[in-house]
């Protein structure tokens, strides 16, 4: 079995010091989430790494902003997660009163000879569990 990185939040593991991701899908999803939530400049060793989704939470809900974000995600994945084959990236934003300021990202990807067509989804906003509020 391949060795994967630690699960977040960190918890004590039974066999290792920390609990580890149990599959390649879990590990890739961690990398995607990290890429989306990291703001450029946060990673000292790679200052251009990251999308910084928090910056887009209060941007206007327009096609132009969503297209810019899709292109930025595709560019960052091709640079920092080049082993992924991205099939589709969708970005949607909700401006409904109940679910205001929620940004939803959906990435359909595969890894040649390893993972077939997986879907990664992330929603951030006032009701998310990411911890922005």
């Amino acid at each position: 079995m391949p060795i994967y990185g630690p699960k977040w939040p960190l918890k004590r593991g039974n066999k290792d010091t920390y609990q580890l991701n149990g599959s390649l899908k879990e590990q890739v999803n961690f990398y995607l989430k990290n890429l989306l939530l990291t703001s450029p400049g946060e990673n000292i060793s790679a200052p251009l790494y990251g999308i910084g989704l928090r910056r887009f939470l209060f941007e206007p809900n327009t096609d132009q902003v969503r297209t810019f974000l899709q292109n930025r995600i595709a560019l960052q994945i091709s640079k920092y997660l080049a082993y992924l084959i991205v099939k589709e990236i969708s970005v949607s934003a909700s401006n409904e009163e109940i679910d205001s300021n929620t940004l939803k990202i959906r990435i359909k990807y595969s890894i040649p000879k390893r993972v077939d067509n997986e879907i990664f989804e992330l929603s951030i906003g006032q009701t998310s569990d990411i911890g922005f509020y």
Side-chain angles (χ1 to χ4, degrees), residues 61-121:
N61 184 4
T62 64
D63 288 337
Q64 184 179 15
V65 170
R66 289 190 301 273
T67 300
F68 173 81
L69 197 48
Q70 285 174 327
N71 293 337
R72 178 94 174 127
I73 291 168
L75 179 68
Q76 288 280 305
I77 289 173
S78 69
K79 184 172 183 175
Y80 295 105
L81 303 174
Y83 52 88
L84 293 182
I85 296 173
V86 176
K87 309 282 185 175
E88 179 185 343
I89 298 173
S90 66
V91 176
S92 60
S94 174
N95 56 7
E96 299 171 14
E97 204 170 302
I98 296 172
D99 195 18
S100 64
N101 300 322
T102 297
L103 189 59
K104 298 175 184 180
I105 310 292
R106 185 175 188 266
I107 302 170
K108 186 176 180 181
Y109 68 89
S110 67
I111 301 173
K113 301 179 184 176
R114 303 291 308 269
V115 175
D116 292 326
N117 295 335
E118 291 292 343
I119 295 175
F120 169 81
E121 294 180 312

Side-chain angles (χ1 to χ4, degrees), residues 6-25:
K7 276 188 174 184
W8 291 91
L10 292 175
K11 294 180 183 174
R12 182 174 296 285
N14 295 331
K15 295 181 181 179
D16 287 309
T17 305
Y18 298 107
Q19 289 180 359
L20 301 177
N21 288 316
S23 68
L24 183 59
K25 178 185 175 184

Side-chain angles (χ1 to χ4, degrees), residues 31-63:
Y31 290 144
L32 284 167
K33 185 175 180 180
N34 192 37
L35 182 72
L36 293 170
L37 297 178
T38 301
S39 293
E42 257 185 281
N43 186 335
I44 295 172
S45 62
L48 300 177
Y49 175 87
I51 310 283
L53 281 183
R54 288 176 283 192
R55 298 179 300 160
F56 295 95
L57 277 176
F58 298 102
E59 288 293 319
N61 184 4
T62 64
D63 288 337

